[in-house]
Amino acid sequence: MSAGGSGAAGNPGKDPGSGEDRLIARLFEPLARHPGALGLKDDAAFLDLPPGHQLVLTKDALVAGVHFFADDPPASIARKAMRVNLSDLAAKGAVPLGVLLAIAIPPDMSADALEDFARGLGEDADRYGAPLLGGDTVRTPGPFTVSITALGSVPMGEMVRRTSAPPGAAIVVTGTIGDAALGLQLRLDPGRPGFAALDGAQRAFLAERYLHPRPRLALAASLRAHALAAMDVSDGLVGDLAKLLAASHVAGAIDAARVPLSDAARAAITAEPALLETALTGGDDYELLAVMADAHLDAFHARATAAGIGAAVIGRTYPGQGLVVRDEGGAPIAFARSSFSHF
Amino acid sequence: MSAGGSGAAGNPGKDPGSGEDRLIARLFEPLARHPGALGLKDDAAFLDLPPGHQLVLTKDALVAGVHFFADDPPASIARKAMRVNLSDLAAKGAVPLGVLLAIAIPPDMSADALEDFARGLGEDADRYGAPLLGGDTVRTPGPFTVSITALGSVPMGEMVRRTSAPPGAAIVVTGTIGDAALGLQLRLDPGRPGFAALDGAQRAFLAERYLHPRPRLALAASLRAHALAAMDVSDGLVGDLAKLLAASHVAGAIDAARVPLSDAARAAITAEPALLETALTGGDDYELLAVMADAHLDAFHARATAAGIGAAVIGRTYPGQGLVVRDEGGAPIAFARSSFSHF
């Protein structure tokens, strides 16, 4: 992990040894307890891979004002950046090995904010067994930007793909869907009638689900054992399922009524049915979406229940192409977001 | 590799299936020819590590206006982002396995610019054997920002460290030093007397050295065979050597006159001696800085010469701490950049 840079482009980077450099060293070096991180004092980290395993790699970037609110607590921004990446590992059946972090720090970001960010990162590194291995800190005249590369491992050849869903299998989703999208809507437009129907605890639940994804790493091994294909739900259930089906060259149908909803989401949608579309097409769920043979459903369900997460069959795959979302009468629901029509 | 995002923070990401999304797919998917990249169509990539090897990991971020000029050719920006990372691998004795890319795209970046960026990236991926494995593309209201994670491998336990320089060894540097820093100065202040002394070819050479680092991957195996400690020179020879010495708990002395200079750099410094400090303390050299036992010097020099790169002994390590840079009379040179006094 290095701080600053080379003073290129006429805008000098932080001097090596500057106060900001020392602050960053003080904040991040304590997180680098993995031996391969070399205390962030070298040009690179090293990492061993368990014998018989292969690496799983993912990298997501988040920008203030685009992927999170600039005034979100910095520790929450760190958690979100960690967890959206760890969610990808979970969906591929991988166990985390560690992360690399790059942050671009705007001029007005305080030392306290950076310290809070580092604290959130360190807590998640411990919680999910994903130690900080290295990275880079640079300055930017733009918004706070975070990029995390997450490394995980799977037994050789066992990474769960997105492209391998067969026809005639069940479509399964973990946890509850739509909470984060409703939490975002609640934050943007709290006066909507659907949210007026919620009590304080329900509103707090939705807000929390938006702010803090929960990567389903506890089910990674179960996905390897039971899923034929999987991905995480990051861009909305309907859109992501359409992507998975298209990548696998199969069709699918799901019943909106079978999509698992939290009490809070159900109450909001009951009070304002238009919010169903928000729940089904909004993003940031970070639940697992999997296709599995019927014979595996009971075992997966038992593992999910044991993990306190839950899993629900919401539909099936078929030969053909396209995704149909059915209402309770079996009629297709049309969604306003045209993008899904591409699949 | 995924494009866009979840429409968080009230600023929707690119719709899956949008024109921009398809552009990015069209530009980057052809680069993802490594089987583990899965055509950038999955949530993650997979990668096998050669038996008996361990991973070497590095991640550097570059921001327009900070690490490169916003009006640099996009292909050159891509090359710089690739090469600063590959230079870290080279300095650790590692062979590239691949890269992950995250870019944050400002609203005014054209499709042509993105295409040029992708072209530069792809050419370097081929040139250096570092295929694109995955990543993320997001939008930003700020400057164009590029983060690359480079993965390499070394035989188990053979990563060349920064912290392992003993006293009583030779300090070696590859190539020539200061060209990039002078190239940057030439761009910022072309009227300086030192640059007036140069012909057009010399000016073009310095400008090119700033724009296009040359990662010394051809010497990675030689470093493993011969170096006791190494790093790449990214933040200036004097500062980086001071870091290496401090990390290794040894002292060092180098002779400014032994630092290898290109003809262009020598001509500029002869005409304007103040540019010597720019050459020795400026950044972006991306040469290798190594400490090695005298018995290994001939063999390393022969390998460097065979690679067309060159290598020069510029000083020695000693017990103690600190770095002295001596002039031709043997007197210490004081540098204006106070940061180095921290070591």
Side-chain angles (χ1 to χ4, degrees), chain B residues 227-300:
Chain B
L228 298 164
M231 66 185 294
D232 72 332
V233 185
S234 56
D235 293 339
L237 174 66
V238 172
D240 282 343
L241 177 55
K243 283 187 215 169
L244 184 149
L245 296 172
S248 295
H249 305 291
V250 291
I254 62 171
D255 296 300
R258 300 170 80 187
V259 173
L261 299 177
S262 66
D263 290 345
R266 190 173 301 281
I269 291 167
T270 301
E272 185 184 350
L275 288 175
L276 177 64
E277 177 162 345
T278 302
L280 296 185
T281 67
D284 286 329
D285 289 301
Y286 299 106
E287 294 291 352
L288 301 176
L289 174 65
V291 172
M292 54 186 74
D294 294 330
H296 285 265
L297 288 173
D298 286 348
F300 184 77

Side-chain angles (χ1 to χ4, degrees), chain A residues 2-18 22 36 38 41-49 53-69 80 88-89 91-92 97 100-104 133-143 145 147-151 154 156 159-163 184 188 210 230-232 234-235 239 243 247 282-284 286 337-340 342-343, chain B residues 2-18 22 36 38 41-49 53-69 80 88-89 91-92 97 100-104 133-136 138-143 145 147-151 154 156 159-163 184 188 210 230-232 234-235 239-240 243 247 282-284 286 337-340 342-343:
Chain A
S2 58
S6 54
N11 186 344
K14 293 180 292 296
D15 269 5
S18 72
R22 288 194 299 272
L38 297 168
K41 291 182 194 301
D42 212 310
D43 307 78
F46 68 85
L47 184 67
D48 296 332
L49 191 60
H53 284 62
Q54 61 191 168
L55 276 174
V56 177
L57 303 163
T58 185
K59 178 172 187 170
D60 276 345
L62 293 85
V63 179
V66 181
H67 304 91
F68 56 87
F69 290 88
K80 186 159 217 163
D88 280 326
L89 292 186
K92 304 292 98 182
L97 293 171
L100 296 141
L101 168 76
I103 52 175
L133 296 171
D136 197 13
T137 56
V138 298
R139 295 194 303 181
T140 180
T145 300
S147 157
I148 285 184
T149 304
L151 298 102
V154 289
M156 192 72 68
M159 189 178 104
V160 182
R161 309 287 178 90
R162 184 192 282 193
T163 52
L184 172 61
L188 293 173
Y210 169 68
M231 66 186 293
D232 72 333
S234 56
D235 293 339
K243 283 186 217 171
D284 286 330
Y286 299 106
R337 285 181 66 176
S338 64
S339 58
F340 308 128
H342 289 289
F343 297 98
Chain B
S2 58
S6 53
N11 186 343
K14 294 179 293 295
D15 269 5
S18 70
R22 288 194 300 274
L38 296 167
K41 291 182 194 300
D42 212 309
D43 307 78
F46 68 84
L47 184 66
D48 296 332
L49 191 60
H53 284 62
Q54 62 190 168
L55 276 172
V56 176
L57 303 164
T58 186
K59 178 173 187 172
D60 277 344
L62 293 85
V63 179
V66 181
H67 304 90
F68 57 86
F69 291 88
K80 185 160 219 166
D88 280 326
L89 293 186
K92 303 292 100 181
L97 293 170
L100 296 143
L101 168 76
I103 52 176
L133 296 170
D136 198 12
V138 298
R139 295 194 305 179
T140 180
T145 300
S147 156
I148 284 184
T149 304
L151 299 101
V154 288
M156 191 73 67
M159 188 179 105
V160 181
R161 309 290 177 89
R162 183 191 285 193
T163 52
L184 171 61
L188 295 172
Y210 169 70
M231 66 185 294
D232 72 332
S234 56
D235 293 339
D240 282 343
K243 283 187 215 169
D284 286 329
Y286 299 106
R337 285 182 65 175
S338 64
S339 58
F340 308 128
H342 289 291
F343 295 98

